[in-house]
Amino acid sequence: MADIAADNAVLEAVNCNLCGATDERLLFLKDGFRIVRCNSCGLIYINPRPKKEYLQKLYSEGYYRISKDDSIGYRDYEADGQYHIANFRKLLDSIESYKKEGKLLDVGCAMGFLLEEAKVRGWDVYGTEVSLYAVNKAREKGLNVFLGDVTDTGLENNFFDVVTCLGTIEHLPNPVAAIRKISMALKDDGLFALSTPDAGGLIGGRRFQYKPKEHLYYFTKETIKKMFEKEGFKILFIHGERVKKPLHFILERLGYYFPGSKGFGRGIETVFKRLGILNTGITIPTGQMIVYAKKRPKNKF
């Protein structure tokens, strides 16, 4: 996996997903991949990038559990469930200030922690997920989760009151098609809540969240706004996201973004482990942005 960027057999060149242009400039290299910016619309993306067959293999059990490659995946996604649930409760409190009940779809739902919490609150919940491993975990909980990219999923039009897409859009080969599909699946005035790394923010703009083996696209507030409006959404707000993360996650991320600090990080991790605080959660800015938007009824364009 570490040699994927050097293996032309699994890479493909792509046009800008937002405007279709081919005029780009190289920003920098990361893990052997070219990070480029479209000279026409400003979208940042990987080019060339891993082909779909590689991406389908990426999200196996190893992605969610003790990944051997620090640049992808999670140490143990399921074991950190309490933090996911705490963050999702906060998110649902916010969503329910706009929509109190109805049908909710979580795109990229992983093992279904958000769906579980929403179901307890009375929502009729559905999910989509590309990882068969995660889908099976979610289905074991009795959740209605479809396997596949949302663009390939047979969702009913004008069906959902709320769609969430959290830390997912940057992984998808075709974000524009995904947002179009979500727009079709939402009812008029339906709410769309999305989070993704902010490549133009204080943290994201300094190359945090650049993980090209899994993150194919990097949005700024300007480019995500263009993409939403192109597909019939009215932006309600965009702001920086703060979430609760365990200390071990923070140390792992710092080790990846600052390779020279790995030795120091391992020392700190040993100390935290002895103190029994390695799994303590703290609320931090992540470099991601949270976006709320509403689907415009067709007669209001």
Side-chain angles (χ1 to χ4, degrees), residues 152-173:
D152 301 322
T153 307
L155 301 175
E156 186 175 339
N157 290 346
N158 304 306
F159 185 74
F160 296 102
D161 299 280
V162 174
V163 175
T164 57
C165 183
L166 309 171
T168 296
I169 198 73
E170 64 273 13
H171 295 255
L172 300 181

Side-chain angles (χ1 to χ4, degrees), residues 188-203:
D188 285 351
D189 287 324
L191 181 69
F192 183 20
L194 173 145
S195 68
T196 190
D198 180 3
L202 181 62
I203 298 175

Side-chain angles (χ1 to χ4, degrees), residues 1 8 10 25 28 32 50 66 77 86 90 111 115 130 157 182 195 234-235 244 249 254 276 292 299:
M1 188 173 295
N8 293 328
V10 296
R25 67 182 179 90
F28 56 90
I66 316 178
Y77 184 87
K90 182 179 177 181
M111 299 175 187
L115 299 180
V130 299
N157 290 346
I182 289 166
S195 68
K234 177 185 177 181
I235 299 288
K244 182 174 283 190
F249 174 88
L254 289 174
Y292 278 29
N299 62 1

Side-chain angles (χ1 to χ4, degrees), residues 20 47 87 92 118 120 131 146 202 229 236 250 254 266 268:
N47 200 22
N87 293 325
L92 286 167
V120 168
S131 168
F146 304 99
L202 181 62
E229 292 178 344
L236 300 180
I250 297 168
L254 289 174
R266 283 193 291 268
I268 293 294

Side-chain angles (χ1 to χ4, degrees), residues 237-248:
F237 68 78
I238 304 177
H239 63 63
E241 184 181 49
R242 296 175 64 88
V243 297
K244 182 174 283 190
K245 293 288 186 181
L247 285 173
H248 71 74

Side-chain angles (χ1 to χ4, degrees), residues 28 31 54 68 103 117 119 146 170 185 194 226 231 280 284 294:
F28 56 90
D31 294 344
Y54 162 78
K68 294 180 180 179
K103 295 180 174 65
E117 181 60 26
K119 187 176 181 179
F146 304 99
E170 64 273 13
L194 173 145
K226 288 177 186 176
E231 299 305 324
T280 300
I284 58 170
K294 277 196 173 183

